[in-house]
Amino acid sequence: MTADDLPIRIRPEIAALPPYRQGKHAGPESFKLSSNENPFEPLPSVVDALRAADGVNRYPDASASRLRHRLAERFGVLPDEVHVGAGSVSILSQLLLAAAGPGDEVVYAWRSFEAYPGLVLIAGATPVEVPLTASGRHDLTAMAAAVTDRTRAVIVCSPNNPTGPIVTQAEFDALLEELPSDVLVILDEAYAEFVTDPEAVDGLRTLGLDGHPNVVALRTFSKAYGLAGLRVGYAVGHRRILDAARSTAIPLSVTAHSEEAALASLDAESELIERVRVIAERRDRLVAGLRAQGWRVPEAQGNFVWLATGEETSAVAERFEEAGLIVRPFAGDGVRISVGEPEAVDKVLSIAASVVEDLPEDHPGRKLA
């Protein structure tokens, strides 16, 4: 037996599955633009809440009940229609484990959040990937057509990570009319707070639990609220669906400190939303600057931008890294660049200007002349 041989029997699809790879960390002289993190330091009131939290020798409240009640009041639902997890991705995993298994299928757009394929395979189900449009948007007509009697869940990511465009409310409503009512629809809105397009779907405002009980909306405190290191996200949906997710959850995975920080963040929401506005303005400035240089940039509504660098992706990422900018390459497809500090935005534009000049004129990442 070699060092690479498995000493026990593992499911073949898991043995072949690469581990999730997060964005590369940055050195002290570099800007980390690879993980869509909030560049602002935590608010003082949130830090104070964390310092005041003690009792780490005790288990946390398994259901994060104070946060669930607070979110339920905020969105006009019952506490049982809110579920809190260790980041929205953990709830996504719980939902897929509850809904899909061997012989079942899960439909989602691709490229989208890189965890989707792995989570589907871990559940034992089959991923069904529907290509994005040329503008980086969900092709909801094609997604609806991909649904069969084996489909147990459909995932919609708005704004789409890593390309950036939103799904409109009208498009989402039309999709729901096409889908069987017993198929779970997961609306992943991890970046919803950064959205400025009034036509965008808003799962927590228009969920319509009575009209579409098969829809669950996911959100997180990691991005806009700047709590990525504490891992806390939430879902809003039908109680019985969330009960199923709760049944598959790892118990006690949301720490008391995470709950305290989330509650303190909601208390300081006006300050946080101002930060979000600043990031959205930086994003729009970055998009405008890249397009002026000749890049074909999809409509960006998250806290990141997408460059469709194709086969040149690895080389382009190296160019940015050499300049002290750690971006997120997706081999063969493109580069995602988080919106960071003002200095980072300026530096991205400087490097991107030289990179685009070296791309062939007919490259998919360049605007048509």
Side-chain angles (χ1 to χ4, degrees):
M1 184 175 70
T2 69
D4 291 332
D5 289 334
L6 280 166
I8 63 169
R9 285 174 288 183
I10 298 290
R11 288 165 49 195
E13 65 272 26
I14 300 301
L17 183 66
Y20 174 80
R21 295 178 61 187
Q22 69 178 124
K24 186 176 179 180
H25 288 278
E29 303 302 320
S30 300
F31 290 101
K32 185 186 178 188
L33 308 177
S34 56
S35 296
N36 294 346
E37 296 156 329
N38 192 318
F40 288 98
E41 293 291 328
L43 287 171
S45 59
V46 176
V47 174
D48 289 343
L50 286 170
R51 286 175 175 161
D54 54 14
V56 294
N57 59 313
R58 304 293 184 186
Y59 286 118
D61 175 357
S63 68
S65 58
R66 288 189 299 144
L67 181 56
R68 281 196 306 112
H69 279 75
R70 180 74 175 273
L71 291 169
E73 180 180 0
R74 172 190 177 92
F75 297 118
V77 299
L78 298 174
D80 283 347
E81 293 167 340
V82 178
H83 174 42
V84 176
S88 58
V89 68
S90 72
I91 303 177
L92 175 61
S93 175
Q94 294 160 18
L95 289 166
L96 293 176
L97 287 169
D104 298 331
E105 296 177 344
V106 176
V107 175
Y108 53 86
W110 195 254
R111 171 175 291 274
S112 193
F113 181 34
E114 64 266 34
Y116 292 162
L119 293 177
V120 174
L121 287 170
I122 289 169
T126 300
V128 177
E129 298 181 345
V130 177
L132 297 170
T133 69
S135 56
R137 303 187 75 243
H138 280 51
D139 186 340
L140 295 181
T141 300
M143 289 177 68
V147 172
T148 70
D149 58 0
R150 296 174 59 190
T151 305
R152 296 295 176 267
V154 174
I155 306 172
V156 175
C157 185
S158 179
N160 186 53
N161 172 24
T163 58
I166 52 103
V167 169
T168 70
Q169 186 68 55
E171 290 169 335
F172 188 71
D173 292 343
L175 174 68
L176 294 181
E177 294 302 318
E178 293 293 321
L179 298 180
S181 61
D182 61 352
V183 169
L184 172 64
V185 180
I186 303 170
L187 178 59
D188 187 347
E189 296 183 291
Y191 301 92
E193 290 84 1
F194 298 103
V195 172
T196 55
D197 187 337
E199 301 300 316
V201 63
D202 184 343
L204 300 186
R205 185 187 64 212
T206 58
L207 194 58
L209 293 175
D210 294 331
H212 294 289
N214 59 323
V215 177
V216 173
L218 297 181
R219 290 204 180 176
T220 183
F221 285 90
S222 295
K223 310 301 182 183
Y225 290 86
L227 301 184
L230 289 173
R231 310 305 301 128
V232 56
Y234 60 96
V236 179
H238 192 280
R239 175 182 62 83
R240 292 295 291 123
I241 297 176
L242 297 186
D243 281 347
R246 287 184 268 262
S247 296
T248 68
I250 296 174
L252 306 163
S253 58
V254 179
T255 69
H257 287 71
S258 298
E259 184 178 16
E260 291 291 348
L263 289 165
S265 295
L266 291 173
D267 289 337
E269 192 164 32
S270 60
E271 296 174 82
L272 287 164
I273 293 304
E274 175 59 24
R275 291 180 167 190
V276 168
R277 184 189 63 78
V278 170
I279 293 171
E281 288 179 350
R282 289 180 194 168
R283 173 200 69 203
D284 293 345
R285 179 168 73 86
L286 179 57
V287 169
L290 290 168
R291 287 175 175 169
Q293 293 171 358
W295 288 99
R296 186 191 305 215
V297 183
E299 203 61 45
Q301 287 287 295
N303 65 336
F304 53 88
V305 298
W306 175 253
L307 302 180
T309 46
E311 295 302 319
E312 286 75 30
T313 292
S314 295
V316 169
E318 288 178 8
R319 292 273 294 274
F320 280 107
E321 187 169 347
E322 289 167 359
L325 299 166
I326 309 302
V327 299
R328 183 64 183 273
F330 295 89
D333 286 332
V335 171
R336 188 191 67 197
I337 305 174
S338 306
V339 178
E341 298 81 355
E343 302 87 349
V345 172
D346 293 337
K347 201 166 186 179
V348 167
L349 288 171
S350 175
I351 302 305
S354 64
V355 171
V356 73
E357 292 175 354
D358 294 335
L359 296 178
E361 289 187 6
D362 60 349
H363 192 279
R366 298 190 68 162
K367 286 195 304 184
L368 297 176

